[in-house]
Amino acid sequence: MVRRMLQTSLEFLKREFFKYYYENIDRLVPPEPIRNREFGFFLEKGKGMFRHKCFNSLRDFHEFILSEIPLDIYVSAANYEDPGNRDMSEKKLVNAELFFDIDVEPVNAVSDEEAAWICQKCGQYDIGLKERCPSCGSPTELVRLLSEKQLREALGETEKLIHVLIEDLGIAPDNTHVFYSGNRGYHVHINQEDFLNITGEGRREIIDYLLIQGLDEKELLNILRRGVSIENISLKGVKKRVYMRILEKAGSVEKLKASRRETVLKMLEDVVEELKVRIDPVVTIDVHRLMRMPESINSNSGMVKRRIRLEDLSFFKPLEEAIAFGDEEACLKVKIAPKFSLGGRTFGPFKDEEVELPVYAAIYIICKGLGEYAGG
Amino acid sequence: MTSENVLRAARYPFLPEAREFISRNIDLTLESLEKTGSEAALKRAVERVENALIFKEVKVTVLDELNYVREILSFPIAVILVSMTMNEYVRRMYALGESRGAYRRMLNESDETLLYIGEKMGVEGVLDDESMIRVKIPTYLKLAYSFHAPHWKLVNRAVINGYVLMGRNEYARLVQVEINNYVYEKTLEPVPMGAAPDSFRRAVGKIVEVWSKLEAAKPSHISLRERGDTPPCIDRIIKKMENGENASHFERLVVATFMIARNRSIDEIIEFFSKQPDYKYSVTKYQVEHLAGLRGGGKKYSVPSCRTMLTNGLCYPDEYCKGIKHPLRYGEENAANKPRVS
């Protein structure tokens, strides 16, 4: 959802969004079959989602986008008999793609320069990492810009996810679609025929498998304590990975056997923490979820939800490859912005100043609610 | 059909080949069923249902198998009789009885036959080099979720390349679930009462009589521990909240729905939530009333199931949790030993 902004900023945004959609409309292809999908949009700032929308053809969908220039575009992971019905149960679910969301972990390790704070109580703000306002003592709101490091961690989790999906769950690489969300994470859509009809209960089992929840520790602990060597274990799947990692940490089977029960248990906990895939369970369990439309603009950042080819995954640079707008200069009045990188360049920090920025960076700052448009 | 196949059809009369046998050899309409010398089949059909109700298992002896026409025919008749009782308990117990009997017989079959039955029931399994049976994950998930022992959870399974690996017994258990589902669904098909011959109606009367006797003899339900007990998962959240620790939205929902289920008043619940650091009277009141079904659509929210608690990382079971699927059933006697109707 778009933060509050001035009318001039919004008009600037809409103008640039239109340019993007006009030039890239062919990239916006919703999953088939279009007529069975529900669509949702944020059309104006501060207003609720316009949803239960459906289209008969790709052409209708494209016409709608170019005439309305939505700020955000969503499409259902589910196929419905009657996607336009406002009553969820009357939509009549046919099936739904599996959908995973991995977000960056909350901000911790950013340097003083890369952070800014705003006090909602007394209105003060500045560059730096302050949890309490120096003048009134109230808790501050920390400004979170996208950090390359955090996004890299999330990408690592995404690679872990893809590995488990392909190796263990048998998802074909061709049915695995990976996207940078355009803001703080990654999305993975699975449209494999035999996984479309998995019920809520089944989806929960898949989530538990990925998060390594409900693991029968007793059994694993017994095997570990007996010190079975790799060649002799019949373990497969996640248990095998857990076992191998513990063995690796212990150094050898003998050392593992000699370890105290508590030590092994602690190792087990640590390894589970290390190996689990940090997906957001709520997203995957919900078959009625609307997913951000691939190749559409994310109005939380002004970047694009970008498709990533599996073979390019480990080299993907979100802050360079998901840029939607050009680099002509725009003038921006910035309230506060810590140092940030975008499009291969570094900007800021800024405080109470008018600056010339490339359009993509200007839109980023506006979308983050840190500045307003001041002319082109 | 070879004699071997006919015997198999008699042993597993829900297989498609049993239906084929009937359609090829017998005129299976309600009117003709009575005439087809099927008094014996009708008798056997009643026996099937009684077996299911009394022993929770339909037994098939070698003699029954040899009498294959009667045996094969008795199954669809039993289904009709059960459907005519229009009694949900009888339906479920019959499906369970048929599937349990089949399970027991499947254990004695060769790998080949076991896999054949599974395939015909839509539970395809492949025997691998290590004599393990591989079942596709979506098929596995569809059937195994009805089991609650930890070793059935996907996370505890040998999983490789889209398949779950298992031994013969476990595979037979999965096939049993599908047989259960199949038989149960068959009994839901309505039978036009008027069209049923008198002999069928008398048979239904007999079945209902057996059922009533069993119902009357059931001991009334007693809980091992006092009903007001709080399961460890919820106790943990309550303690945390009493200490003023911030609970997540989901944790609050769990506690609120639990307190509502235990008939605590809205005021009592709000009072409890007042210890939360971000407590606001109006917000809490609105949300608790919403959960209690006093607002909005009037939908009363139930306490999340054990499975949901587990998925959210909130399950901390103790010995009294054994066999329960829902926090409100905590401490109930014999929850673990109850017949599982799946």
Side-chain angles (χ1 to χ4, degrees):
Chain A
M1 195 154 21
V2 155
R3 291 156 195 264
R4 251 173 266 151
M5 62 176 73
L6 293 176
Q7 192 59 30
T8 48
S9 296
L10 187 67
E11 280 164 11
F12 169 60
L13 234 61
K14 284 265 178 177
R15 216 159 49 228
E16 292 298 327
F17 275 39
F18 175 76
K19 267 195 237 166
Y20 172 81
Y21 284 125
Y22 187 76
E23 280 161 25
N24 296 284
I25 197 72
D26 290 340
R27 300 176 77 115
L28 265 79
V29 183
E32 290 288 338
I34 295 179
R35 61 179 69 232
N36 295 108
R37 304 274 174 173
E38 180 201 349
F39 290 81
F41 304 91
F42 284 112
L43 295 174
E44 282 176 65
K45 63 176 175 121
K47 290 252 177 85
M49 186 191 264
F50 172 63
R51 59 180 303 184
H52 310 297
K53 178 84 185 143
C54 55
F55 297 100
N56 277 323
S57 68
L58 186 63
R59 199 194 148 107
D60 288 356
F61 172 64
H62 286 168
E63 271 173 14
F64 180 87
I65 303 287
L66 291 175
S67 68
E68 296 291 335
I69 328 284
L71 294 167
D72 293 281
I73 307 172
Y74 298 87
V75 56
S76 63
N79 284 303
Y80 301 103
E81 278 176 33
D82 182 10
N85 202 307
R86 303 186 69 82
D87 183 336
M88 285 322 274
S89 55
E90 289 295 310
K91 281 189 196 299
K92 299 205 179 73
L93 182 78
V94 179
N95 55 32
E97 282 159 24
L98 268 180
F99 176 52
F100 300 98
D101 180 16
I102 290 177
D103 273 341
V104 299
E105 297 282 312
V107 198
N108 282 323
V110 288
S111 69
D112 229 29
E113 206 188 12
E114 287 172 314
W117 57 268
I118 298 173
C119 176
Q120 293 298 0
K121 198 158 182 199
C122 70
Q124 292 232 21
Y125 50 85
D126 207 347
I127 302 293
L129 200 58
K130 286 207 169 56
E131 283 177 7
R132 291 200 169 268
C133 174
S135 55
C136 76
S138 339
T140 60
E141 185 191 316
L142 287 177
V143 174
R144 292 173 171 190
L145 290 186
L146 297 173
S147 125
E148 233 175 305
K149 183 169 160 279
Q150 287 171 345
L151 283 171
R152 212 165 31 240
E153 279 167 17
L155 185 63
E157 287 295 318
T158 310
E159 289 184 282
K160 249 159 78 181
L161 171 65
I162 305 288
H163 180 80
V164 179
L165 289 177
I166 293 176
E167 294 293 317
D168 290 6
L169 302 193
I171 307 288
D174 283 353
N175 297 330
T176 308
H177 307 286
V178 190
F179 302 89
Y180 166 55
S181 75
N183 196 30
R184 306 176 49 78
Y186 291 86
H187 295 169
V188 178
H189 307 189
I190 303 297
N191 67 347
Q192 184 153 308
E193 191 69 39
D194 54 347
F195 278 76
L196 292 177
N197 288 313
I198 291 180
T199 60
E201 299 280 1
R203 281 166 206 252
R204 253 173 228 186
E205 286 295 299
I206 292 176
I207 292 165
D208 285 344
Y209 189 85
L210 293 165
L211 289 170
I212 320 187
Q213 281 183 148
L215 192 69
D216 188 357
E217 293 185 349
K218 230 186 243 167
E219 187 213 354
L220 203 57
L221 212 58
N222 278 338
I223 301 174
L224 285 165
R225 300 270 289 145
R226 265 190 283 129
V228 184
S229 67
I230 304 274
E231 307 84 67
N232 292 329
I233 54 162
S234 59
L235 297 174
K236 290 201 170 59
V238 70
K239 274 190 177 168
K240 182 176 185 181
R241 275 200 296 281
V242 170
Y243 184 84
M244 302 280 271
R245 185 73 186 110
I246 292 179
L247 208 57
E248 210 177 309
K249 282 189 123 181
S252 71
V253 174
E254 287 67 38
K255 278 188 195 156
L256 190 62
K257 247 168 113 174
S259 305
R260 285 171 48 224
R261 191 189 145 87
E262 294 72 40
T263 317
V264 180
L265 200 62
K266 179 78 181 54
M267 274 176 22
L268 180 59
E269 274 171 26
D270 292 348
V271 166
V272 165
E273 202 50 39
E274 178 189 326
L275 294 182
K276 73 178 189 192
V277 184
R278 290 177 167 68
I279 52 159
D280 181 349
V282 182
V283 173
T284 306
I285 199 84
D286 182 5
V287 288
H288 297 296
R289 197 93 180 170
L290 293 176
M291 334 181 273
R292 188 175 288 284
M293 175 73 205
E295 303 294 336
S296 71
I297 301 166
N298 185 328
S299 81
N300 293 309
S301 67
M303 286 197 285
V304 169
K305 168 163 171 177
R306 187 71 85 201
R307 176 186 290 274
I308 314 167
R309 295 195 313 174
L310 276 188
E311 54 269 37
D312 299 336
L313 192 57
S314 35
F315 317 108
F316 183 75
K317 291 201 179 69
L319 300 180
E320 292 175 29
E321 297 180 47
I323 304 286
F325 308 107
D327 53 7
E328 16 351 322
E329 301 274 290
C331 191
L332 206 65
K333 210 174 161 174
V334 184
K335 180 174 158 186
I336 187 83
K339 194 172 129 187
F340 65 97
S341 305
L342 205 63
R345 288 173 60 184
T346 308
F347 305 95
F350 305 120
K351 188 187 175 187
D352 293 324
E353 53 193 301
E354 251 189 52
V355 291
E356 296 261 312
L357 288 176
V359 169
Y360 65 82
I363 289 182
Y364 179 70
I365 290 298
I366 295 172
C367 287
K368 291 286 173 196
L370 303 176
E372 299 285 359
Y373 182 64
Chain B
M1 206 179 270
T2 66
S3 61
E4 200 181 307
N5 286 1
V6 173
L7 288 183
R8 189 169 59 203
R11 203 175 305 149
Y12 306 103
F14 42 81
L15 287 177
E17 59 217 55
R19 287 198 295 279
E20 256 168 56
F21 178 84
I22 292 173
S23 66
R24 206 170 300 156
N25 301 296
I26 304 160
D27 175 17
L28 189 71
T29 54
L30 279 175
E31 303 82 52
S32 63
L33 261 180
E34 205 185 12
K35 293 177 215 141
T36 337
S38 57
E39 206 174 309
L42 179 61
K43 210 172 144 215
R44 171 70 181 138
V46 174
E47 193 177 270
R48 287 191 103 92
V49 186
E50 285 177 347
N51 264 205
L53 288 174
I54 300 167
F55 306 114
K56 299 186 174 68
E57 181 183 336
V58 177
K59 291 171 184 160
V60 179
T61 63
V62 178
L63 235 69
D64 290 328
E65 277 176 33
L66 290 174
N67 211 335
Y68 55 84
V69 177
R70 184 193 75 175
E71 195 62 16
I72 292 174
L73 202 50
S74 71
F75 173 70
I77 295 176
V79 168
I80 291 169
L81 299 180
V82 169
S83 171
M84 283 170 68
T85 65
M86 303 219 269
N87 179 320
E88 183 61 15
Y89 181 78
V90 175
R91 274 190 192 121
R92 293 204 176 270
M93 289 314 284
Y94 177 61
L96 182 69
E98 281 290 357
S99 66
R100 274 200 178 175
Y103 169 72
R104 199 112 3 143
R105 295 191 290 279
M106 280 189 287
L107 294 184
N108 295 323
E109 300 289 358
S110 65
D111 287 347
E112 198 192 355
T113 305
L114 176 60
L115 290 168
Y116 173 84
I117 298 167
E119 191 206 315
K120 290 292 167 196
M121 295 311 295
V123 189
E124 215 169 311
V126 185
L127 198 66
D128 71 11
D129 301 341
E130 287 159 22
S131 304
M132 294 298 273
I133 296 174
R134 298 184 171 206
V135 174
K136 280 205 169 147
I137 290 175
T139 311
Y140 179 84
L141 291 179
K142 184 175 146 224
L143 300 170
Y145 88 84
S146 50
F147 306 135
H148 294 271
H151 73 271
W152 286 103
K153 275 192 76 64
L154 190 65
V155 73
N156 290 316
R157 305 300 310 191
V159 173
I160 184 167
N161 213 0
Y163 290 91
V164 180
L165 277 56
M166 65 197 73
R168 285 173 47 96
N169 291 14
E170 288 187 328
Y171 177 68
R173 277 292 279 131
L174 287 187
V175 180
Q176 185 198 331
V177 175
E178 196 55 61
I179 294 170
N180 189 333
N181 295 345
Y182 173 79
V183 175
Y184 175 73
E185 260 154 49
K186 280 271 154 200
T187 64
L188 287 178
E189 289 170 14
V191 177
M193 282 302 249
D198 282 346
S199 58
F200 276 40
R201 272 182 252 175
R202 279 195 298 277
V204 171
K206 211 171 156 210
I207 291 167
V208 173
E209 202 179 308
V210 172
W211 169 75
S212 325
K213 274 186 196 154
L214 288 170
E215 271 303 289
K218 262 190 197 167
S220 58
H221 184 82
I222 309 156
S223 279
L224 180 67
R225 286 153 55 108
E226 215 183 301
R227 266 205 152 253
D229 265 348
T230 308
C233 51
I234 292 168
D235 193 46
R236 202 188 126 265
I237 307 172
I238 290 177
K239 288 221 173 85
K240 182 171 151 181
M241 287 174 69
E242 276 174 349
N243 291 333
E245 261 183 75
N246 215 344
S248 73
H249 180 74
F250 183 73
E251 286 175 322
R252 292 174 198 211
L253 177 134
V254 171
V255 170
T257 50
F258 180 77
M259 291 173 100
I260 292 164
R262 286 283 151 87
N263 292 322
R264 304 278 286 271
S265 74
I266 301 286
D267 287 339
E268 260 182 291
I269 302 172
I270 296 173
E271 160 82 26
F272 175 77
F273 275 88
S274 67
K275 294 183 194 91
Q276 286 286 287
D278 56 354
Y279 168 76
K280 273 204 189 84
Y281 176 77
S282 57
V283 176
T284 309
K285 185 167 186 295
Y286 177 86
Q287 290 182 338
V288 173
E289 286 178 352
H290 188 83
L291 292 174
L294 305 173
R295 279 176 182 275
K299 184 187 168 208
K300 189 175 167 183
Y301 286 74
S302 47
V303 183
S305 67
C306 291
R307 193 175 278 260
T308 309
M309 294 296 284
L310 181 68
T311 301
N312 284 280
L314 294 174
C315 174
Y316 295 85
D318 69 12
E319 65 205 283
Y320 297 105
C321 290
K322 211 175 163 201
I324 66 167
K325 301 173 196 171
H326 197 278
L328 287 178
R329 308 283 301 268
Y330 177 69
E332 278 187 16
E333 188 180 23
N334 285 337
N337 301 326
K338 265 189 207 153
R340 292 228 181 84
V341 183
S342 42

